Amino acid sequence: MSADTATSTGTSTGTSTGTTVRQLKTAIPGPKSRELHAAREKQVSSGFGITSPIFIDHVEGSLLVDVDGNKLIDFASGIAVTSVGAANPTVAEAVAAQAKLATHTCFMVTEYQGFVDVCEKLNQLTPGDFDKRSALFTSGAEAIENAVKIARAYTGRPAIVVLDHAYHGRTHLTMTMTAKNVPYKQSFGPFAGEVYRTPNAYGFRWPSGREHAAAEALAALKEMVLTQIGAGNVACIVAEPIAGEGGFIAPEPGFLKGVQDFAREHGIVFVADEIQTGFARTGTLFASEFEGIEPDLITTAKALGGGMPISAVTGRAEMMNAAPVGGIGGTYAGNPVACAAALATIEVIESEDLVGRTKQIESIALPRLQGLVETSPYVGEARGRGAMLAIEFVTDDGITPNPDAAKKVAAHANSSGVLTLTCGTFGNVIRLLPPLVITDEELNEGLDVITEGVKAL
Ligand SMILES: *Cc1c(COP(=O)(O)O)cnc(C)c1O
């Protein structure tokens, strides 16, 4: 968890009115949470930040039940992971059944069908009508590391091009690829070599105006690749279809397509990091579909496992098969219990039409967030797609980032029982990542609380 997310101050005296979905029996965090948090500090590295020091006992659908018996609305999904809910019965049954059969064999030692089935699903479901292969890993960062290894093996080239506001993980290579210094990079250098950064087409903050963002950002990327690095030295360009930690920035239309075309022209592997956007989060199964792009490689993780740790790289067969035999893998890569969870999660996404549900979530939530832009001088923009929505806070000049406002609204939401995350390079964005199984009532109540928080600014 990033240290720039808001910490709940827990000043509200929670009351349960009986008319709310939330049930607040104590202040948030409650006395038991406070006690456990104090005890944690004696055992756990303080390098782990915390959004809200609440200890969770269990989860019911989209409600988090804490150790004090409070029921909280979840607008975080454990950072876009529990799209089908953190205690989905289909996933829980699949996990329990597989755990009884075998928890682990290591796919590099002996094989099992679940691994192959997850790869088959990924090959079928990801955009791109070409022959594909997949490789499974454990964390998102590991998927990115492996996508880079695969791209380097395929091209025989060293350089990696990434975007401003990018987030790709916390390992040595991926923190280098990540844009933001505090908290992801500060104190952790020296960084990996051969990582080059170029502007993202961030409409709201584009100096010459939104309408120029896509063309100018693309021109900057081309110039950097052609004049500074040399196209023949670039293995891959890695981009999030919507930048997640960086502030839920959807690049202006046409930018990513332009990047893809340029990459093709120069034999550069185009990698879409769909770790946060993938699996129905943005109102299409993959965000790349909305952009009309067919990346050569796609990384997935987060929502894929329904809460179990699993990640993947999927893409063109000739690229995926370029890594030397034994060159990619991992002890826990594509663990059988995690594979069972992933198959169950995909089944739930398909059978419950969560892509359709995500569009409904957008149609309820986005207009309400846009209403805040109209009514509050501190909300500069409401944006995003599907159930990946955000508001960006500014000062009353309408553009200067206002992280204090974002922190205040998030603190209000968290202490009122709506678990809400901040994000953004400037820490001035509140992001909504509800489970896709959230009810309309829960969604609206959570939005009411955020609206209250904005009005109080
Ligand atoms: C979360 C995230 C990662 C890193 O995933 P981990 O499982 O935390 O290693 C990489 N890329 C994006 C876009 C992410 O949102």
Side-chain angles (χ1 to χ4, degrees):
M1 192 62 255
S2 61
D4 60 318
T5 51
T7 297
S8 164
T9 52
T11 48
S12 93
T13 50
T15 48
S16 179
T17 63
T19 57
T20 58
V21 178
R22 284 164 299 151
Q23 288 178 21
L24 304 184
K25 297 181 173 158
T26 69
I28 308 292
K32 283 188 187 153
S33 276
R34 285 170 190 266
E35 205 177 295
L36 291 170
H37 184 75
R40 153 202 156 130
E41 289 181 330
K42 299 202 176 70
Q43 307 298 338
V44 180
S45 160
S46 60
F48 271 75
I50 180 72
T51 297
S52 200
I54 303 167
F55 276 71
I56 299 302
D57 181 73
H58 66 279
V59 175
E60 297 173 5
S62 298
L63 299 176
L64 306 169
V65 185
D66 75 10
V67 290
D68 291 286
N70 299 299
K71 284 192 183 178
L72 317 170
I73 294 174
D74 184 9
F75 270 7
S77 299
I79 320 186
V81 169
T82 55
S83 290
V84 299
N88 185 288
T90 307
V91 176
E93 272 159 36
V95 165
Q98 180 58 46
K100 285 181 195 153
L101 293 173
T103 54
H104 178 80
T105 72
C106 184
F107 195 72
M108 302 180 303
V109 177
T110 54
E111 297 167 298
Y112 43 91
Q113 190 59 36
F115 192 112
V116 182
D117 291 343
V118 174
C119 290
E120 187 179 1
K121 274 284 180 193
L122 287 163
N123 296 341
Q124 280 168 0
L125 296 174
T126 49
D129 195 13
F130 37 75
D131 191 22
K132 292 181 206 143
R133 298 288 186 279
S134 288
L136 306 183
F137 303 98
T138 310
S139 70
E142 233 187 324
I144 295 288
E145 294 255 356
N146 279 284
V148 170
K149 283 166 71 174
I150 289 163
R152 283 179 170 165
Y154 176 72
T155 57
R157 303 169 177 181
I160 308 162
V161 173
V162 291
L163 301 178
D164 276 344
H165 309 288
Y167 181 84
H168 298 296
R170 293 178 180 268
T171 59
H172 182 234
L173 177 62
T174 61
M175 77 172 163
T176 307
M177 294 167 67
T178 289
K180 190 173 174 175
N181 182 37
V182 176
Y184 306 120
K185 304 165 88 156
Q186 180 63 42
S187 324
F188 300 138
F191 302 108
E194 293 299 332
V195 175
Y196 300 86
R197 191 174 309 284
T198 172
N200 200 339
Y202 186 178
F204 182 64
R205 296 197 170 278
W206 196 259
S208 58
R210 183 186 299 276
E211 64 280 16
H212 302 295
E216 290 179 11
L218 184 60
L221 179 143
K222 289 182 181 176
E223 186 178 310
M224 192 186 66
V225 167
L226 296 174
T227 68
Q228 295 178 31
I229 317 171
N233 297 316
V234 178
C236 56
I237 302 173
V238 184
E240 294 159 89
I242 298 180
E245 301 292 319
F248 281 26
I249 302 160
E252 290 299 309
F255 173 67
L256 290 175
K257 180 72 168 60
V259 172
Q260 171 177 291
D261 293 345
F262 176 72
R264 295 261 152 89
E265 199 183 314
H266 293 280
I268 298 167
V269 177
F270 179 48
V271 184
D273 179 351
E274 291 241 22
I275 289 170
Q276 191 157 159
T277 53
F279 288 100
R281 173 56 58 186
T282 67
T284 43
L285 196 54
F286 294 93
S288 295
E289 294 167 44
F290 182 89
E291 301 288 341
I293 53 175
E294 292 185 345
D296 300 310
L297 302 178
I298 291 184
T299 55
T300 52
K302 293 202 162 100
L304 168 62
M308 295 297 287
I310 185 167
S311 66
V313 184
T314 301
R316 291 181 187 276
E318 66 276 20
M319 295 179 182
M320 293 298 299
N321 290 339
V325 175
I328 59 173
T331 306
Y332 296 113
N335 167 274
V337 180
C339 285
L343 291 169
T345 300
I346 293 168
E347 186 191 314
V348 172
I349 290 172
E350 289 178 335
S351 68
E352 297 185 11
D353 184 25
L354 291 186
V355 168
R357 177 60 192 150
T358 307
K359 290 193 184 110
Q360 290 169 351
I361 292 172
E362 178 184 316
S363 70
I364 294 170
L366 191 55
R368 292 197 58 179
L369 298 177
Q370 277 158 348
L372 297 176
V373 180
E374 310 293 307
T375 54
S376 169
Y378 302 113
V379 181
E381 187 178 55
R383 59 174 177 249
R385 289 202 298 272
M388 186 169 182
L389 302 173
I391 43 180
E392 172 158 359
F393 289 89
V394 291
T395 62
D396 39 23
D397 68 7
I399 190 72
T400 305
N402 190 344
D404 285 346
K407 284 194 184 82
K408 276 187 191 139
V409 175
H412 169 78
N414 286 325
S415 60
S416 307
V418 180
L419 192 69
T420 304
L421 304 172
T422 60
C423 66
T425 298
F426 312 106
N428 64 329
V429 176
I430 284 195
R431 52 170 156 178
L432 305 190
L433 285 168
L436 307 182
V437 294
I438 196 166
T439 65
D440 288 0
E441 198 187 3
E442 291 160 349
L443 180 63
N444 276 311
E445 189 174 312
L447 289 164
D448 290 344
V449 169
I450 287 174
T451 304
E452 270 165 35
V454 171
K455 281 192 180 145
L457 285 175

